[in-house]
Amino acid sequence: MVTQNDSGRFPKGNSKVIASQSTFGFNFYNSYARLPASLFSFVNPEPVPAPQAVVINEQLAESLGLSAEALKTAAGIAILAGSENPPGGLALAQAYAGHQFGHFTMLGDGRAILLGEQITPSGQRYDLQLKGSGRTPYSRGGDGKATLGPMLREYIISEAMNGLRIPTTRSLSVVSTGEKIYRETALPGAVLARVAKSHLRVGTFQYAAGRGNDKELKLLADYTIERHYPEANRETNKYLAFFKAVIGSQASLISQWMLVGFIHGVMNTDNMTISGETIDYGPCAFMDVFDPTTVFSSIDHHGRYAYANQPKIAAWNLARFAETLLPLLDTDQEKARDMAESALKDFSAQYDEHFLHGMRRKLGITSAKDQDKILVRDLLRLMSEHKADYTNTFLDLTFQRFDQSELCRSADFVKWKVRWEERRNQDPGGVEQGQELMKTSNPAVIPRNHRVEEALRPAVQAGDYGPLRKLLQILENPFAHSVEQEEFATPPEPNAPPYRTFCGT
């Protein structure tokens, strides 16, 4: 086993990669295995008895340089199920730690295995990981398996996030395994193939820092900078530049969650990526009625990860990240702490700027004025007071459907609407340009929780994947504003029971 990163550089395009080309198109370079051995364990996925492809993301496969047709064959499905290793891969489980609901724990990939890093035809690098592929040294008594419903749910939500143009891990496939996995009851087993810029997390750095080995921490940081933020190498203090870059990527990401009403549900530090991608779609959900206190996770009893708390939690997580980097920022730890705290103060301002910019777009405003923040604040307050549907309120504004909801018919909204129209009339972009901006900023559909469940139920209970495929098609381009999307924009019935999500999926 190689115990240090002895390359320091990454290949460009397909030159000098470790993996050989194959009929599947796998083109792996296994750089993570060159990091200190303490950060991972070599482990192979567990073979499954009867793998069957449920869904394969052909478009994603082709963009990765993979052959979708080859992946559909028995040999391809066996790889996606974990029964066979892909050519050139080097399977391993990553170690990491995490603050889970504020409590620190040493963790790791308990049921996920990294097959390798696919180098695309354009020279980009993506992790290919199997989720639900069996036990690892980090399973902590678990079986390392996954069930069909949650894996399909992650496929739906992650691909919907991609359609919404929000940085996210992607889903390449879901394969049923022919096993029965025992949770509360016996459920069909499945393996998800997940694609990510990397699976490096705040928790990865917490794990390295927790071992107290500054040399290992430096190797991890240098590796991450080279992989995700190489421009930091040009700065006098590259580790401070690295920290600032991660702050910027997270400020942008969280604002995009908030702009579409997405609630992650489990913003533990092991679920915050260094790359700025959304990861881990267990207890997440999209908000219907606008309520800043909305929580879906069944175990978030105190609302730690409620919708309105997400920016604060992101800042808290970044503070934990900063703690891991202190030995690298400066040999004088007081000075290092001051540097980190100063950088972290910028998060809120960056988040506010991203959020307000996104809200201006949602309201069809192309320029910036100080009054815009008040205009947005007042609209959100009215939406909350009238229990307005978050997504559909912005659609009503986009298409001027002012008789569609209780909110739009209220006297307070009418007054707000006058201010909004005055602001749009003052905008140098003009009303028509603003209208087009709204169409491309306000999605016609989101993965409504009740629609997701309607697609999952027949898939899990009867192997009927028709509703699943229909929903995926509807969500693929949420800004199409097509006739077919209209029925999927309908909120749940007012008397529907509260929606609950669960961890451990």
Side-chain angles (χ1 to χ4, degrees), residues 85-340:
N85 288 325
L90 190 60
L92 58 87
Q94 296 175 323
Y96 50 82
H99 274 91
Q100 298 195 315
F101 286 87
H103 303 287
F104 185 75
T105 309
M106 297 300 267
L107 300 163
D109 287 329
R111 57 171 179 166
I113 294 176
L114 177 66
L115 297 182
E117 302 150 23
Q118 173 75 2
I119 308 298
T120 72
S122 62
Q124 295 179 300
R125 171 186 310 276
Y126 292 95
D127 281 2
L128 179 57
Q129 183 194 71
L130 298 185
K131 185 175 179 180
S133 50
R135 286 181 51 78
T136 77
Y138 315 109
S139 295
R140 297 184 298 168
D143 60 14
K145 299 288 187 175
T147 61
L148 181 59
M151 295 305 95
L152 288 177
R153 191 171 187 274
E154 176 158 344
Y155 190 108
I156 293 169
I157 304 297
S158 64
E159 288 307 297
M161 292 286 274
N162 181 67
L164 290 164
R165 304 191 294 263
I166 297 174
T168 179
T169 59
R170 301 285 304 277
S171 295
L172 178 61
S173 63
V174 174
V175 174
S176 62
T177 63
E179 303 168 298
K180 290 295 183 183
I181 306 301
Y182 290 89
R183 297 296 185 253
E184 292 82 4
T185 60
L187 298 167
V191 174
L192 171 80
R194 182 161 68 189
V195 175
K197 288 182 179 179
S198 83
H199 286 82
L200 293 160
R201 312 156 187 260
V202 169
T204 313
F205 281 80
Q206 289 181 294
Y207 183 91
R211 289 174 49 78
N213 188 322
D214 289 353
K215 181 180 178 181
E216 290 185 357
L217 178 65
K218 183 177 184 299
L219 285 168
L220 175 63
D222 289 344
Y223 171 84
T224 308
I225 290 170
E226 190 69 30
R227 186 161 179 178
H228 292 303
Y229 303 102
E231 63 278 4
N233 285 315
R234 298 193 293 268
E235 302 297 327
T236 303
N237 188 330
K238 68 177 182 180
Y239 301 112
L240 180 60
F242 169 43
F243 180 50
K244 289 180 177 179
V246 176
I247 289 172
S249 68
Q250 286 296 329
S252 174
L253 176 66
I254 305 304
S255 72
Q256 292 178 74
W257 289 2
M258 302 293 281
L259 288 166
V260 296
F262 174 76
I263 300 169
H264 185 279
V266 60
M267 289 179 66
N268 299 331
T269 54
D270 54 295
N271 290 335
M272 176 178 272
T273 62
I274 301 301
S275 66
E277 290 183 300
T278 313
I279 192 171
D280 284 346
Y281 288 96
C284 70
F286 281 75
M287 184 165 52
D288 292 307
V289 170
F290 180 68
D291 179 354
T293 67
T294 299
V295 173
F296 291 108
S297 174
S298 62
I299 64 172
D300 191 359
H301 303 298
H302 302 291
R304 177 181 175 86
Y305 299 141
Y307 171 81
N309 286 344
Q310 291 183 131
K312 299 174 186 176
I313 291 296
W316 191 90
N317 288 349
L318 287 166
R320 307 290 76 74
F321 180 45
E323 291 167 354
T324 72
L325 297 179
L326 291 180
L328 305 179
L329 294 178
D330 200 278
T331 54
D332 182 334
Q333 290 300 277
E334 277 301 314
K335 186 176 179 181
R337 190 172 297 278
D338 289 343
M339 295 164 70

Side-chain angles (χ1 to χ4, degrees), residues 355-505:
F355 182 75
L356 185 55
H357 175 72
M359 275 293 175
R360 286 191 182 104
R361 293 177 59 89
K362 291 174 77 68
L363 294 176
I365 298 170
T366 64
S367 60
K369 288 191 174 184
D370 293 340
Q371 69 196 63
D372 298 340
K373 189 171 185 178
I374 299 173
L375 190 70
V376 169
R377 182 200 64 191
D378 290 347
L379 174 61
L380 294 177
R381 176 180 55 79
L382 290 173
M383 290 168 62
S384 177
E385 289 175 357
H386 290 271
K387 295 181 170 46
D389 184 88
Y390 182 83
T391 302
N392 286 352
T393 294
F394 288 100
L395 287 176
D396 291 343
L397 292 174
T398 300
F399 297 103
Q400 301 186 34
R401 302 183 305 214
F402 299 127
D403 60 346
Q404 296 292 305
S405 67
E406 176 187 326
L407 167 66
C408 291
R409 293 189 294 269
S410 69
D412 287 339
F413 175 83
V414 171
K415 294 177 184 177
W416 178 89
K417 179 172 166 287
V418 170
R419 293 162 52 202
W420 173 55
E421 289 175 340
E422 289 176 350
R423 176 67 180 91
R424 292 184 71 195
N425 288 330
Q426 298 167 1
D427 193 61
V431 174
E432 289 187 8
Q433 184 178 337
Q435 190 81 1
E436 292 305 310
L437 186 61
M438 294 176 76
K439 290 179 183 177
T440 60
S441 304
N442 295 314
V445 287
I446 56 170
R448 298 270 183 182
N449 305 318
H450 64 297
R451 288 296 190 181
V452 172
E453 294 303 320
E454 287 171 2
L456 293 180
R457 197 173 300 114
V460 173
Q461 296 179 356
D464 177 5
Y465 304 119
L468 170 71
R469 296 190 180 99
K470 177 64 174 177
L471 180 60
L472 290 172
Q473 181 184 16
I474 290 294
L475 295 172
E476 187 175 359
N477 181 6
F479 301 99
H481 298 285
S482 66
V483 174
E484 291 79 12
Q485 291 175 325
E486 289 179 3
E487 70 172 286
F488 288 85
T490 306
E493 294 295 329
N495 59 351
Y499 190 68
R500 289 288 176 265
T501 57
F502 302 90
C503 292
T505 56

